[in-house]
Amino acid sequence: MDCFEFRKGQPTRFIVVKRETGEILPIKYTTIPFFMFHHINTYEEDGHLVADVCGYIDGNAFPHLYLNRLRKGIVPKGPQPWRFVLPLTVDQSSPIGTECVQLSNMTASAVKKGDNSLYCMYEPLIDYELELPRINYDHYNTKPYRYAYGMGRLFQDLVKMDIEQKTYKLWHEEHCFASEPVFVPAPDAKQEDEGVVLSAVTTSQESKQAFLLILDAQSFTEIARAEVPTEVPVSVHGMFTRDQ
């Protein structure tokens, strides 16, 4: 991380590109300085682009992940799930300071600062950390959605986020470290969160084995686990492939 420099005084900018033409929208979207790795999901709604991200308010959090700092108990603040709403057009006749977000069900803002210039502020989705997010990708990618799954507190928790209710559920087990949760929809599922969540879990206890955790995606409670009688390193990403 030594090759990165976080400039706290420089705003973050969103650049929106039309997929059909490659044209960059002329609107300049800016917001507070922050750092991020992952988008949760993004979709269009009534002339707005709704972008959900895992945002780090402190861009200098990652140097704290060096082992010498973690061993001293210095734990960086993790990312929060934020929603930005970017209007795709700006009324040039409206005065400076006009709120341009016209979606009544969202509290994110985009205030006009000049011609084709908007300053955006996020809407917090839940008051908990969320990183390495996954959704019901096959059916809800680039579409309005309700649920997302991720990790919290440096691999210690698995998190299910309910965006509509602004609530979350957790899976946690002492001395265990989970990998990125993978949502697998049930065959012929009728609901967005109907399926299971998979995560490879390692443990710091020699008496316990690593295991594949299987959670019911709706209740977020354990259905089963498959223990692995060998050493398994901590992993980050995961994937599921159906038997062809």
Side-chain angles (χ1 to χ4, degrees):
M1 300 300 296
D2 292 339
C3 61
F4 288 92
E5 177 185 353
F6 183 63
R7 300 177 180 177
K8 294 183 178 181
Q10 184 172 321
T12 303
R13 183 177 176 186
F14 290 94
I15 297 175
V16 181
V17 180
K18 292 184 179 181
R19 293 180 63 183
E20 297 87 353
T21 64
E23 175 190 358
I24 298 176
L25 259 63
I27 302 173
K28 182 179 180 180
Y29 304 96
T30 57
T31 186
I32 60 170
F34 77 95
F35 178 80
M36 62 167 285
F37 276 123
H38 299 107
H39 288 260
I40 305 171
N41 197 9
T42 299
Y43 59 91
E44 288 188 45
E45 181 174 334
D46 295 333
H48 300 73
L49 196 65
V50 180
D52 296 343
V53 304
C54 299
Y56 292 81
I57 198 68
D58 181 5
N60 293 316
F62 286 91
H64 293 304
L65 294 177
Y66 288 122
L67 285 177
N68 62 335
R69 301 188 185 187
L70 292 174
R71 287 167 178 157
K72 294 178 181 178
I74 302 173
V75 179
K77 182 175 176 58
Q80 301 276 328
W82 297 340
R83 169 164 289 178
F84 288 94
V85 179
L86 311 179
L88 296 175
T89 58
V90 177
D91 183 356
Q92 301 301 329
S93 65
S94 62
I96 302 299
T98 298
E99 173 58 64
C100 297
V101 174
Q102 301 298 316
L103 300 178
S104 60
N105 61 330
M106 300 181 189
T107 62
S109 68
V111 177
K112 185 176 180 181
K113 292 298 182 182
D115 293 341
N116 279 333
S117 179
L118 298 176
Y119 187 82
C120 305
M121 194 61 193
Y122 64 84
E123 170 188 346
L125 296 179
I126 57 171
D127 186 20
Y128 204 78
E129 295 180 12
L130 188 81
E131 183 57 287
L132 297 174
R134 298 290 287 261
I135 62 171
N136 187 337
Y137 190 88
D138 291 345
H139 299 97
Y140 290 89
N141 180 44
T142 70
K143 300 176 183 178
Y145 71 113
R146 178 173 178 178
Y147 301 106
Y149 311 88
M151 297 195 314
R153 297 193 312 139
L154 282 178
F155 303 91
Q156 296 181 66
D157 300 328
L158 292 173
V159 185
K160 177 185 179 180
M161 175 172 66
D162 184 334
I163 297 171
E164 184 177 297
Q165 297 295 323
K166 297 290 185 69
T167 59
Y168 60 90
K169 296 178 180 179
L170 298 177
W171 178 90
H172 172 81
E173 189 170 308
E174 287 295 319
H175 309 293
C176 288
F177 301 90
S179 68
E180 174 185 32
V182 177
F183 175 81
V184 182
D188 303 318
K190 299 297 188 295
Q191 297 180 336
E192 179 183 343
D193 62 344
E194 188 175 351
V196 297
V197 172
L198 308 178
S199 178
V201 181
T202 59
T203 175
S204 60
Q205 288 187 315
E206 293 184 3
S207 60
K208 295 181 66 173
Q209 294 179 330
F211 56 92
L212 175 67
L213 177 67
I214 306 171
L215 300 177
D216 178 272
Q218 293 182 316
S219 65
F220 219 54
T221 56
E222 183 174 336
I223 296 174
R225 63 179 63 186
E227 294 185 341
V228 182
T230 187
E231 296 290 336
V232 178
V234 174
S235 60
V236 179
H237 296 297
M239 64 180 296
F240 173 82
T241 304
R242 294 186 182 278
D243 184 6
Q244 299 300 321

